[in-house]
Amino acid sequence: MQGQNQQQAYDRGITIFSPDGRLYQVEYAREAVKRGTASIGIRTSDGVVLAVDKRIRSPLMERSSVEKIHKADDHIGIASAGHVADARQLIDFARRQAQVNQLRYGEPVGVETLTKEITDYIQQYTQVGGARPFGVALIIAGIANGEPRLYETDPSGTPYEWKALAVGADRGEIRDYLEANYDEEMDLDAGVDLALAALASVNDGGLSPEGIGIAVIDVETEQFRELSDEEKESHLVEADLLASEDDAADEPDEDEE
Amino acid sequence: MQGQNQQQAYDRGITIFSPDGRLYQVEYAREAVKRGTASIGIRTSDGVVLAVDKRIRSPLMERSSVEKIHKADDHIGIASAGHVADARQLIDFARRQAQVNQLRYGEPVGVETLTKEITDYIQQYTQVGGARPFGVALIIAGIANGEPRLYETDPSGTPYEWKALAVGADRGEIRDYLEANYDEEMDLDAGVDLALAALASVNDGGLSPEGIGIAVIDVETEQFRELSDEEKESHLVEADLLASEDDAADEPDEDEE
Amino acid sequence: MQGQNQQQAYDRGITIFSPDGRLYQVEYAREAVKRGTASIGIRTSDGVVLAVDKRIRSPLMERSSVEKIHKADDHIGIASAGHVADARQLIDFARRQAQVNQLRYGEPVGVETLTKEITDYIQQYTQVGGARPFGVALIIAGIANGEPRLYETDPSGTPYEWKALAVGADRGEIRDYLEANYDEEMDLDAGVDLALAALASVNDGGLSPEGIGIAVIDVETEQFRELSDEEKESHLVEADLLASEDDAADEPDEDEE
Amino acid sequence: MQGQNQQQAYDRGITIFSPDGRLYQVEYAREAVKRGTASIGIRTSDGVVLAVDKRIRSPLMERSSVEKIHKADDHIGIASAGHVADARQLIDFARRQAQVNQLRYGEPVGVETLTKEITDYIQQYTQVGGARPFGVALIIAGIANGEPRLYETDPSGTPYEWKALAVGADRGEIRDYLEANYDEEMDLDAGVDLALAALASVNDGGLSPEGIGIAVIDVETEQFRELSDEEKESHLVEADLLASEDDAADEPDEDEE
Amino acid sequence: MQGQNQQQAYDRGITIFSPDGRLYQVEYAREAVKRGTASIGIRTSDGVVLAVDKRIRSPLMERSSVEKIHKADDHIGIASAGHVADARQLIDFARRQAQVNQLRYGEPVGVETLTKEITDYIQQYTQVGGARPFGVALIIAGIANGEPRLYETDPSGTPYEWKALAVGADRGEIRDYLEANYDEEMDLDAGVDLALAALASVNDGGLSPEGIGIAVIDVETEQFRELSDEEKESHLVEADLLASEDDAADEPDEDEE
Amino acid sequence: MQGQNQQQAYDRGITIFSPDGRLYQVEYAREAVKRGTASIGIRTSDGVVLAVDKRIRSPLMERSSVEKIHKADDHIGIASAGHVADARQLIDFARRQAQVNQLRYGEPVGVETLTKEITDYIQQYTQVGGARPFGVALIIAGIANGEPRLYETDPSGTPYEWKALAVGADRGEIRDYLEANYDEEMDLDAGVDLALAALASVNDGGLSPEGIGIAVIDVETEQFRELSDEEKESHLVEADLLASEDDAADEPDEDEE
Amino acid sequence: MQGQNQQQAYDRGITIFSPDGRLYQVEYAREAVKRGTASIGIRTSDGVVLAVDKRIRSPLMERSSVEKIHKADDHIGIASAGHVADARQLIDFARRQAQVNQLRYGEPVGVETLTKEITDYIQQYTQVGGARPFGVALIIAGIANGEPRLYETDPSGTPYEWKALAVGADRGEIRDYLEANYDEEMDLDAGVDLALAALASVNDGGLSPEGIGIAVIDVETEQFRELSDEEKESHLVEADLLASEDDAADEPDEDEE
């Protein structure tokens, strides 16, 4: 009870510190991220992979409208987890920044540069009053100077670079899987397989090509590319992860909305 | 009791996160949507259908003043459910955006483009202080590049694309009906019939032509068109959904106001 | 007790949603409307009628200063119920909009156009912080394109068109009377009689010419005109609704203030 | 207890509606008016009378500094009751509006026009946040088009026209007296007598010339004029209302401050 | 208890009305005035007197830095009681207004004019949010048109004119003394004696020249002048009010700070 | 308990009056001053002395970074006690004001002038919302017109002039010591000795040269000068106040931070 | 319980004083600093050392993205502890100020100057409403005029200069270690060894080269330089602080996020 009451005191008005130095609104925003279905990012020797769970609540919903993978620039893709409408704002911000960079410096924006512009933007919403934090985490993947790069932004506005990571629901379990199976030397194809296997590790009954989204950016073309359903199915078949018809239509948590 | 108190803490001031990552003001706005009578959208092979329950509280009220179907542009219609005065603001916004697009680019606004401009506008009201979220959901239907498109906006500012959907009262039951009976190959006429049947599925005693509103946009003309009472009656008779005189005057929930 | 406490939580600061999707400040504003004496509007085949209860608290008060019927433009009248000072703001707004329309388009403002400009204005006060909603309902009556039109605005900012309606105290009873006795074919004179009868239905002891206000706008002249005491008395006598001297001086609820 | 708690909930922050549709801050401002000593206005056939109770708390205070009767323009006087400092703001506003009208239209401001400009100004303080309502009521008396006019403004911002009225302490008793004794045909002199008698009706022991203020504006000169002590005494003697020396120095409620 | 709780409800945020029509923040500001040592003003036939209690908390403090008598203009002096830092703001405001008046109209500001400019300024701090009222009362003394004038401003922003008055600690007792002993015909010298006697009436053990401040403005020179310690001592000796050495160093209430 | 609750009510939001006329936020800011180590100012016949306790929390901290004595201008020094970061803001303000004065009038700013500019600045933070008061007291010492002057500013924004004073921890005890031992005729050297003795009176075990700071401004040079460790040691030895090695490293209260 | 409740009262809205003169929001921000892993700064005879604990939560995270040592200018480095996103804002501010100084004065910014610009910026967030304090402490190290300098900024905005210090987790223990082992005469190499030993003193099982970050700035080159993993390993081996493989991967507290 005591803890309960104490917590409530820090939820009102602006984002402020609790006696133990936490920013509850930021931590609650992290809970909003966990309510979203999982997204995964993997860096390989010749490119980066983004993989997302895009199951839908109803067969009548268009899967293409579940926006979890976004192209930020030719050479940068972003996967999101959490509050969808918030994610859209950050993606818009990212695209504008990428364009501004191109106009101002005549060259594509760096992946790290873009990540930090986004996190600085997020941080403002955790310190200045009159607005709430963003309830979304992003995985920012791209090629910079010929090297694959993979970043995370969280609701506090902290940037992290990863070899492989997951955000959203089941983040912990997927991370365990990635830590156990990641190999820095693998190529892009193996990266896609690992992403699918990690996603399958928290989904009983396998995956359907339509229920997932995959995007890759290889160091050669430096072009963001989403995999077709055929490509995804081929990967799933090969890895024996293809769901049977019955399991494929399972709905995610209603809260994703 | 505990839950009750906790909830209250997140209702004051601006829209903020609860400990489990929810935005209560947004969820309460969804309740406002449920208080409104149902609206339905159906995408068919040759056009889109909007159907709304527009029963009235008194025989003295002019049915035409129950604004639930709106023409946003020649090729785009919008059905709403929830807080009527809020819906008007979003419709006005949508019409202005459609005009701006026409002026700026010399061509009609895309259905998806318009939907996302609206959802981004809605999102602002869920993050920045000093205002409450919009208590309304919209179904945005139109033709883009010769293809029928059907979108939903909810109070969180998330855009979804659907083959067929319902918003407002009895949303769940109508969705079940649609999922069981929807066929992607059907034509516009069959779509109107399905919409009426879905609406009738939650109304004992059938429907009256005046108590419902139907609009269609076909891929050929790309023109928003509302069905006349005669057309509606003919559909109802054909489907044996016409209400007897006694049942027709039933009033919706007073809260619709 | 629980309900009581819960309600209080939504009364502070700005207008926000309650867990069941209501806007309490708007509902309380509707209570303010009910505290005002009744106003009635009736649409007939050849014009519109506005009738108001304008009893006064003291014989020393000038009845003419009880502002319940207002001329918004030559062809549009407005009756109000509720918070008098708030009504004045909306009437001022309506008059300015009518003038602006005349100046900008060189023709009188439409009744529906004016109504919606007013409701959009009202809606702002229910969504944006820093002010309370308007505690007043308006009946807007006028002629547009040779047709009589009759609208209502409520504190939520929703516009409704009616054949006949009442706002303010005893709204329910008067509506029942109107529903039972309204005939779309009646002429303006019969409309005045119906309005008086409806008003009398909730006033024991009849009406006095001075205690009521009547205005009409006929489709021929399209001119707002208030009835003289003689005209009102003649109507009352004819309908046997004239109060005896003793009953005439009854005061309305002090809260009307 | 319940009622007590409930009331408190509506006192904080801005002026908002209570569940029964009241604006408590406005009602409390009315209480502030009742804390002030009484002011009276009377309209006669050939002019208007303002009469105020201006007893003082100490014989050392200058009676002339008890500002309860104010000249707003040559032809308009204002009597106030309630919070003195608030009254000063409204009087200043009234004087500026009178000058603006003279400058803009080349003629004296109408009494009704000025009254409504004041009430609209008052209303703003009851709807928009960041300030409290004015704790004062005004009696505005003047000549317009050769006719005597008499208005009241209250803290809600509602204008009323009266034949005779009282504001401030003992308002109810004085009104009863006025209702019983007012005659529309009386002349200005009789009006002064009635005002004094009404004031005396709530003051045991009679009145002193210094303890009251009287101003008149007659239709002929249209000039605001305050009566001298001699004139007041002559009226009091004639009406047998003159207080004995002992009674004259009684102090009003300290709260008038 | 009930009263206690109720009161607290009106202390937060901005200055608002309590259910009985009081402005608690203004009343609490009056308490701040009472916490200050007394100041006295006396109007005589040939000038005005200001007298203040300026005892100090420590013999190491410079008496000259206890600012209780201020020169606002050549012909106007101001004595204050209450919150010292607040008084400084009002004195600065008064001096600026006096200069502005001189520049704009080429003549010294009137005492009443200056007083009312100050009270209007004070009133704003009691009605508009975002600041607290001034915790100080002023006695404004000066010569206007050859006549001595004496005014008071209180925290509500109300101006009063007095023949003689006291503000600050022991206000009531000193007023009683002044009422009993004031004579409108006395000259400036007698006025000084009365002020000292009034001050002594609430100080056991007499007064020291250093512990008090005296300023006079006579109608002839119209020049503000502070009395020297010799002059003060001579007055005290003459009136047998001079304190013995032991009593002189008594400290006022620490709260004066 | 009652008192406890009551107090809390005045701590929130802006600085407002309590029922007994206090400004709690200002009084709490005074507590912040008391949490700081002591600072002393002494005016002598030929100059002013500032002495501060600058013990440090760790031998690894640089004593020079404990900012308690500041040079505001060539002829003015300031010692502070309380919240260090707040003090820096006021010192910056003081320096800017000194420069502005030099630029505008071509002469050094007066000590009293500068003090009052600072206190007026402090006062704003106690009356206008949106910020808290300054948690610091300053001793402002300097030469004006060849005379030594010594002032204090406190968190309420009140200026005081002193012969000798202390602010910060143990203020009361040090003042008692100063009152008992101050002699207006002493010279600067004796002033330094008195300051050291006063400081030692509340420090068992004597003082170390490094643990204290001393600055003087003499009337001849009018130059602010800080004493070297040698000078300080020489004074301490002479007065037999030099601490033994063991006692010198004692840390002040951690709260000074 | 009492203490608990009392504390809560000071957590809401803006940063204000508690009855005992504390600023709780600032103290809570200090707790946020303690949640971060430790950072150490050491000043030696020929340069300054910054050492940070940069252990990571997962082997998949890129250590280089744990930003705890930052280059602010060629000659100035900054180590941080606490809220990472907040640190980024202050580092950005520091870099801008360094550039501005270079542009404006044509020379590198002084270490003390830069520190105080940062602390003044921090202080604003503790006094003015609408934002929370920064939850981060910085160690600012650099060369000024050929001398090594070492500063700390804390969440209150107070600058301190140190010979050696630690911020973040285990601050107390590390300070004890530094106090016991610091020698002002040691050279840069010995400084690095001391920093490592201090860090190891609170880490059972030794350190890994990758788990720590070391930067030095020597007085000769005045160039910020980060040590390579080889250099760090060589130091660790020499000091017998190298962790065995098993211990190296230990994760810091999850809250660091």
Side-chain angles (χ1 to χ4, degrees), chain F residues 4 11 25 28 31-32 35 58-62 65 67 85-86 88-89 92 130-134 255 257, chain G residues 2 6 10 15-22 43 116 120 123 126-127 129 156-157 160-163 179:
Chain F
Q4 198 66 29
D11 305 329
Q25 269 299 301
Y28 296 170
E31 291 303 313
R35 297 179 82 85
S58 161
L60 294 178
M61 186 182 275
E62 281 293 334
S65 75
E67 297 184 298
D86 285 13
R88 282 188 50 77
Q89 305 311 308
D92 278 1
R132 59 167 175 80
F134 285 95
D255 293 318
E257 239 179 308
Chain G
Q2 179 63 30
Q6 193 171 1
Y10 307 102
T15 303
I16 55 173
F17 286 106
S18 69
D20 56 347
R22 292 164 176 271
R43 196 180 73 193
K116 292 188 175 173
D120 287 352
Q123 192 271 351
T126 74
Q127 184 168 29
S156 78
Y160 297 105
E161 187 170 8
W162 293 87
K163 290 163 186 148
E179 289 187 7

Side-chain angles (χ1 to χ4, degrees), chain A residues 35 54 116 129 131 133 177 179 187 203-204 227 253:
Chain A
R35 297 179 83 85
K54 50 188 295 186
K116 292 189 175 174
Y177 189 91
E179 289 186 8
D187 63 8
N203 282 280
D204 299 334
L227 266 55
D253 186 355

